[in-house]
Amino acid sequence: MAQERDIVNLRNLIKNSKRAVFFGGAGVSTESGIPDFRSKDGLYSQKYKYPPETMLSIEFFRSYPDEFYAFYREKMLVTDVLPNAAHYKLAEWEKEGHIAAVVTQNIDGLHQKAGSKNVFELHGSIYRNFCTKCGMPYPVQRIIKGSGVPRCACGGIVKPDVVLYGEPLREEVVEGAVEAIKRADNLIIGGTSLNVYPAAGLIDFFRGENVVVVNKGAPAKDMRGVTFIDGKIGEIFSMI
């Protein structure tokens, strides 16, 4: 449970920040109603015909696009939820000049919905989709309202612009995130267990003053010498 001194210290850190970076994961969006992956009630704890890690791989997408899209529409394509206090606070702090960038592992677009401008989406976004044959963009609403495998007018299969298992992170996104983290005066990590690589490795580029981790449960990564606040990030941020 978060202590009052932790809240005060985090409040002061944000107030004095000029170019802090927020690095977040699935736990940032759970308070908006989007399940995480690795908790006891998370996506990976549920039973399916194939393991979720298999269905969310590029090989599965290529080999079984019908089954991929059945799972993707049911579990991943969530567009009717709203940002929570964590998203809105980060957008507010960016507007005030305290947060320089948000680096997220999430694909739900909630940071942008809340008003954040400088967002690096390491794993892509459900809101962007493209034809694997001609590269043309494809509206997300057509995927939501459609059924089966969405196809472009040219006949090519449409793929969500999300990083599947077996795919590399987009180079330009990683470069932008690394540059922001290198330049940050403070680093705030939230809603992530830090056990998804290569994304979690990006925080090693931080050279600033303070690191604060806000998460329900301690992260998997060795984080000695940092301030750890145990709790739901939306609840913690709403106190600031």
Side-chain angles (χ1 to χ4, degrees), residues 27-28 93 95 122 130 134 139 159-160 177 198 216 219:
V28 179
W93 295 335
K95 190 174 181 180
L122 296 176
F130 63 92
C134 71
K159 180 187 179 295
K216 192 67 179 169

Side-chain angles (χ1 to χ4, degrees), residues 184-213:
D185 52 3
N186 296 296
L187 180 63
I188 305 166
I189 300 168
T192 175
S193 55
L194 292 173
N195 58 8
V196 176
Y197 284 83
L202 268 59
I203 66 173
D204 295 335
F205 288 95
F206 177 65
R207 297 292 182 266
E209 297 180 23
N210 304 291
V211 178
V212 177
V213 176

Side-chain angles (χ1 to χ4, degrees), residues 17-22 100-101 177-188 205-210:
S17 293
K18 300 299 182 185
R19 55 182 186 279
V21 166
F22 176 79
V178 167
E179 185 62 25
I181 291 170
K182 281 182 176 179
R183 289 172 49 82
D185 52 3
N186 296 296
L187 180 63
I188 305 166
F205 288 95
F206 177 65
R207 297 292 182 266
E209 297 180 23
N210 304 291

Side-chain angles (χ1 to χ4, degrees), residues 69-109:
Y69 266 107
F71 178 78
Y72 180 76
R73 281 192 178 94
E74 181 185 355
K75 296 296 183 181
M76 308 298 292
L77 194 53
V78 182
T79 61
D80 58 350
V81 297
L82 297 174
N84 60 57
H87 299 106
Y88 286 119
K89 277 292 182 180
L90 287 165
E92 177 185 319
W93 295 335
E94 181 186 39
K95 190 174 181 180
E96 292 173 349
H98 302 303
I99 295 283
V102 169
V103 179
T104 180
Q105 300 171 75
N106 297 336
I107 60 174
D108 51 45

Side-chain angles (χ1 to χ4, degrees), residues 33-101:
I34 298 178
D36 64 7
F37 289 85
R38 290 173 172 79
S39 70
K40 63 181 180 66
D41 299 317
L43 193 65
Y44 290 174
S45 299
Q46 301 174 37
K47 300 298 181 184
Y48 305 98
K49 182 179 178 180
Y50 303 97
E53 299 97 318
T54 298
M55 289 188 283
L56 293 175
S57 70
I58 187 61
E59 286 303 319
F60 192 87
F61 170 81
R62 290 168 177 161
S63 302
Y64 308 101
D66 282 289
E67 296 202 53
F68 169 86
Y69 266 107
F71 178 78
Y72 180 76
R73 281 192 178 94
E74 181 185 355
K75 296 296 183 181
M76 308 298 292
L77 194 53
V78 182
T79 61
D80 58 350
V81 297
L82 297 174
N84 60 57
H87 299 106
Y88 286 119
K89 277 292 182 180
L90 287 165
E92 177 185 319
W93 295 335
E94 181 186 39
K95 190 174 181 180
E96 292 173 349
H98 302 303
I99 295 283

Side-chain angles (χ1 to χ4, degrees), residues 115-150:
S116 289
K117 304 298 183 185
N118 195 24
V119 182
F120 295 97
E121 297 172 305
L122 296 176
H123 296 148
S125 171
I126 60 173
Y127 288 97
R128 295 188 301 271
N129 305 273
F130 63 92
C131 173
T132 56
K133 186 177 179 181
C134 71
M136 286 290 289
Y138 191 88
V140 67
Q141 288 301 322
R142 290 183 62 184
I143 296 179
I144 294 171
K145 294 177 181 178
S147 61
V149 179

